[in-house]
Amino acid sequence: MSILKVYNPLNIEIDHGDGVYLYCKKGTRYLDFTSGIGVTSLGHSHPSLISALKSQAEKIWHCSNLFRIENQQIVADKITQNSFAESVFFCNSGTEAVEAGIKVIRKYFNAVNEKRFKIICAKNSFHGRTYAAISASGKSKLTEGFEPVLNGFKQVAFNDSKAVSRSVDKETAAIMIETVQGEGGITPAKKDYLRDIQKIANDNNLLLFFDEVQCGVGRTGKFLATEWVKELKPNIVAVAKGIGGGFPIGALLLDKKTSKSMDLGSHGSTFGGNPLAMAVAQEVLNFVLNEEFLDHVREIGFNLRKLLRENILTKFPKLVSGVRGIGLMVGLEAIENNEILIKSLIKEKLLTVKAGQNVIRMLPPLILEMKHVEEAIEKIDKAFSNL
């Protein structure tokens, strides 16, 4: 086989998608609660995204950042006008955004002439698969075979601000966490924990770097998940996945003081911010920056979690034990092996993704409606009844 065997795909070949559904070549329809792992935020074949992509494709696909790209400025303005950010760097993926953020941390303290380089991270995290990203995550499965990892990263327990405080020393530069751990099991950071690490950062002159590659861009019902805590003042936030609606886009959001440290030539990307990507991102932001759209995400997410608790947890206490998450980032805690349960859901034509802590991860498109929620509950009920 000519494809490098780093994946183990299901024996389902997808032919096309429409809204919240995927269709295989044989015509079988699946209710998609994966969204390409949190990517297709507006569902499949969204007419606005198709129109934007077609229109831009007829003009120009790629243009080097040696030239001005109008849509890049439009997208950056939309983001900065609706977030903490002073500036935005565009790249092509979440892990690229994370790598850029790590570089910004080091560059900032170099610029202010302080010898700080250590970054406090969280256990059970996932920041991507590039070298600095796996070093930050510190997971054995990610780092196995790739040691030695880069130094300067320390992992402490998630949602434990005292562990963070104990880890700070004179060489500490930043705290870097996912606002909601996705791969690790759909675990939101507690509000008091976020307030505490903000105080720790303030007291020790540390930067706060939030990885919102999976939980950002409307997924939790806010544009950024950090917005759920008003006191939180991020310095850097990485986003990707949902901002492209399926097109590969990543972005790093920087506040004023970190922006100043990144001078000409300090970072770059050949494809980052290309015209096709920016045309799509502009359309996605037109939706997810709309408060009515975000209200819908919050309401549908609440109802999905509510029905899971009322209809599934109570009926199948030997299979599942809890529901966690926020917005349309939902985890169903499995007692049995989560892979067995996920396979049973596939048989009922419902697609989900496994996550850490034996969790069934649900990341449906943000355009999900109540009729889809009810359909999913029916499928889960039937799948678990068959078990």
Side-chain angles (χ1 to χ4, degrees), residues 352-371:
T352 58
V353 189
K354 69 177 181 178
Q357 301 181 61
N358 204 28
V359 166
I360 301 168
R361 183 171 21 161
M362 300 179 184
L363 302 169
L366 304 183
I367 60 168
L368 198 73
E369 298 177 14
M370 272 308 299
K371 63 182 180 181

Side-chain angles (χ1 to χ4, degrees), residues 179-379:
T179 323
V180 183
Q181 288 192 337
E183 299 287 333
I186 312 295
T187 309
K190 295 177 181 177
K191 290 184 177 181
D192 284 344
Y193 168 70
L194 293 174
R195 294 186 186 101
D196 287 347
I197 64 172
Q198 178 70 67
K199 186 177 187 306
I200 293 168
N202 292 344
D203 291 347
N204 295 278
N205 191 29
L206 308 179
L207 297 179
L208 279 181
F209 180 11
F210 293 94
D211 179 345
E212 296 215 356
V213 169
Q214 189 167 144
C215 67
V217 195
R219 176 57 59 182
T220 69
K222 298 282 189 181
F223 176 57
L224 298 177
T226 54
E227 294 171 22
W228 284 102
V229 177
K230 292 180 180 179
E231 302 94 326
L232 209 54
K233 306 294 180 186
N235 300 109
I236 311 166
V237 172
V239 299
K241 289 187 181 287
I243 196 172
F247 198 95
I249 307 171
L252 188 71
L253 284 54
L254 298 83
D255 70 353
K256 188 173 183 177
K257 72 177 185 179
T258 54
S259 296
K260 288 180 178 179
S261 67
M262 298 299 287
D263 48 16
L264 287 174
S266 58
H267 198 47
S269 170
T270 297
F271 297 106
N274 68 78
L276 284 175
M278 294 298 96
V280 175
Q282 185 178 343
E283 284 300 315
V284 171
L285 291 175
N286 286 341
F287 284 89
V288 299
L289 289 174
N290 184 309
E291 195 58 38
E292 288 185 8
F293 183 89
L294 294 174
D295 281 343
H296 172 80
V297 172
R298 292 191 288 267
E299 181 182 357
I300 294 295
F302 173 81
N303 287 331
L304 173 57
R305 297 191 302 276
K306 181 173 181 285
L307 289 180
L308 284 170
R309 291 189 181 100
E310 292 176 354
N311 295 21
I312 303 302
L313 291 189
T314 55
K315 188 173 180 179
F316 304 101
K318 293 183 179 180
L319 296 180
V320 287
S321 60
V323 177
R324 58 174 74 169
I326 182 172
L328 281 173
M329 193 172 185
V330 179
L332 185 58
E333 300 167 19
I335 295 173
E336 292 289 329
N337 185 297
N338 61 358
E339 292 190 23
I340 294 173
L341 300 185
I342 288 169
K343 286 178 181 178
S344 74
L345 296 174
I346 291 173
K347 290 180 181 179
E348 298 305 322
K349 311 301 183 288
L350 174 63
L351 301 178
T352 58
V353 189
K354 69 177 181 178
Q357 301 181 61
N358 204 28
V359 166
I360 301 168
R361 183 171 21 161
M362 300 179 184
L363 302 169
L366 304 183
I367 60 168
L368 198 73
E369 298 177 14
M370 272 308 299
K371 63 182 180 181
H372 305 128
V373 171
E374 290 162 359
E375 181 184 348
I377 296 298
E378 288 178 10
K379 289 178 181 294

Side-chain angles (χ1 to χ4, degrees), residues 140-212:
S140 59
K141 286 185 178 180
L142 291 174
T143 58
E144 187 176 347
F146 302 110
E147 296 90 348
V149 296
L150 300 177
N151 63 11
F153 298 96
K154 181 174 183 179
Q155 295 78 31
V156 300
F158 187 58
N159 274 324
D160 185 346
S161 56
K162 291 182 180 178
V164 174
S165 184
R166 288 194 297 268
S167 299
V168 176
D169 62 30
K170 64 181 181 180
E171 293 179 319
T172 304
I175 300 167
M176 170 183 172
I177 65 163
E178 297 162 273
T179 323
V180 183
Q181 288 192 337
E183 299 287 333
I186 312 295
T187 309
K190 295 177 181 177
K191 290 184 177 181
D192 284 344
Y193 168 70
L194 293 174
R195 294 186 186 101
D196 287 347
I197 64 172
Q198 178 70 67
K199 186 177 187 306
I200 293 168
N202 292 344
D203 291 347
N204 295 278
N205 191 29
L206 308 179
L207 297 179
L208 279 181
F209 180 11
F210 293 94
D211 179 345
E212 296 215 356

Side-chain angles (χ1 to χ4, degrees), residues 61-121:
W61 290 23
H62 175 75
C63 179
S64 167
N65 284 297
L66 293 171
F67 304 93
R68 293 184 183 275
I69 300 172
E70 181 183 9
N71 275 0
Q72 202 174 107
Q73 187 64 59
I74 292 171
V75 174
D77 285 346
K78 283 181 178 290
I79 293 172
T80 56
Q81 289 165 11
N82 290 277
S83 72
F84 76 96
E86 174 80 12
S87 64
V88 182
F89 172 78
F90 294 109
C91 49
N92 312 286
S93 69
T95 194
E96 285 183 43
V98 167
E99 289 277 338
I102 292 169
K103 288 181 68 176
V104 168
I105 291 168
R106 300 279 174 89
K107 191 70 164 60
Y108 170 79
F109 282 102
N110 178 267
V112 297
N113 200 30
E114 291 187 39
K115 293 182 179 179
R116 299 189 185 206
F117 66 97
K118 294 179 182 177
I119 301 175
I120 300 171
C121 306

